[in-house]
Amino acid sequence: MSSIKVTVWNEFRHEKTDEAVAKIYPDGIHEAVAESLRSAGFDVKTATLDQPEHGLTSDVLDDTDVLIWWGHMAHREVQDEIVARVKERILGGMGLIVLHSGHFSKIFTSLMGTTCNLKWREIGEKERVYVIEPGHPIAEGLGEYFEVPHSEMYGERFDIPAPDTLVFLSWFEGGEVFRSGCCYHRGMGKVFYFRPGHESYPIFYQPEIKQVLANAVRWAAPVGGPTVTFGHRPEPVEHVEPYEG
Ligand code: ZN
């Protein structure tokens, strides 16, 4: 377990331009997430938008089992070429965890094939996250629900394909609900979308959030299944008498 290699990617812009955000995440959201995963025993590195190739070189991806994605204001600055590279890796088996406003990232919308649009409001209301699939590995160690005291609201409809498994459902103080923990398989890879995590609130320091991210990393990591092959198979697996007509 402890050898799972995680790369935490962050566009790293709010923390540089917004003092309030910088106060909460002085080293960036990626470092807060990375630190909590390191203390959970994972092998964690970080990458950010302004690095060459957005920090997501082929070498880095070769050395990544699970990629975590946080973006918000700069989705369009992510080069299509890098998105294609990341997508290819996911289809080949790399795990992907998309956080909060990453719902509009190029990689997530490309994997979903829908707009991934939603309703939102930012007044610091309470969010109650219900565990609706208690037997799922991502729910390990959680209670029936947990609360984020101050959250940005995301409301349905969330324009995504129906998840393979929906682990969390959020209720907001203002009355809206949202599918906030969505599992997908894409190719050989596993994708988890996790809603909480707005930059203006210290959500990534919350114990339940750290627990979910550690659980999600373990769930999304590749399992070393059979190598997949495709194409023409002139030799059948069992003997077959050719049909002569
Ligand atoms: Zn937000």
Side-chain angles (χ1 to χ4, degrees), residues 13-63:
R13 290 288 169 85
H14 286 291
E15 301 93 322
K16 291 175 176 166
T17 56
D18 186 328
E19 248 180 68
V21 176
K23 241 185 189 171
I24 301 169
Y25 295 111
D27 300 315
I29 287 171
H30 53 298
E31 281 302 334
V33 171
E35 193 42 49
S36 85
L37 292 172
R38 276 182 200 117
S39 54
F42 300 109
D43 177 359
V44 187
K45 53 186 170 294
T46 62
T48 57
L49 178 65
D50 292 329
Q51 293 174 331
E53 302 182 48
H54 308 325
L56 299 173
T57 61
S58 295
D59 285 350
V60 167
L61 294 176
D62 281 345
D63 205 34

Side-chain angles (χ1 to χ4, degrees), residues 70 72 100-101 122 152 154 197-199:
W70 201 99
H72 181 213
H100 186 62
S101 44
E122 193 185 347
E152 178 188 25
Y154 278 6
H198 185 65
E199 69 277 0

Side-chain angles (χ1 to χ4, degrees), residues 149-205:
H150 302 289
S151 226
E152 178 188 25
M153 185 282 291
Y154 278 6
E156 295 281 348
R157 171 161 170 86
F158 182 20
D159 186 27
I160 47 170
D164 299 336
T165 309
L166 182 63
V167 183
F168 301 124
L169 180 68
S170 285
W171 167 89
F172 293 87
E173 204 173 347
E176 286 87 351
V177 296
F178 194 80
R179 289 169 288 172
S180 52
C182 306
C183 297
Y184 297 92
H185 286 80
R186 288 291 182 270
M188 309 307 129
K190 281 168 277 182
V191 178
F192 181 61
Y193 173 78
F194 188 49
R195 196 218 78 85
H198 185 65
E199 69 277 0
S200 307
Y201 308 112
I203 293 171
F204 290 114
Y205 299 115

Side-chain angles (χ1 to χ4, degrees), residues 8 38 92 133 141 162 231 234:
V8 182
R38 276 182 200 117
E133 209 56 76

Side-chain angles (χ1 to χ4, degrees), residues 6 10-11 16 19 38 51 63 77 99 117 124 136 138 168 174 183 214 242-243 245:
V6 183
N10 179 12
E11 65 178 25
K16 291 175 176 166
E19 248 180 68
R38 276 182 200 117
Q51 293 174 331
D63 205 34
E77 292 178 47
L99 301 173
N117 214 338
H136 195 278
I138 295 180
F168 301 124
C183 297
Y243 176 62

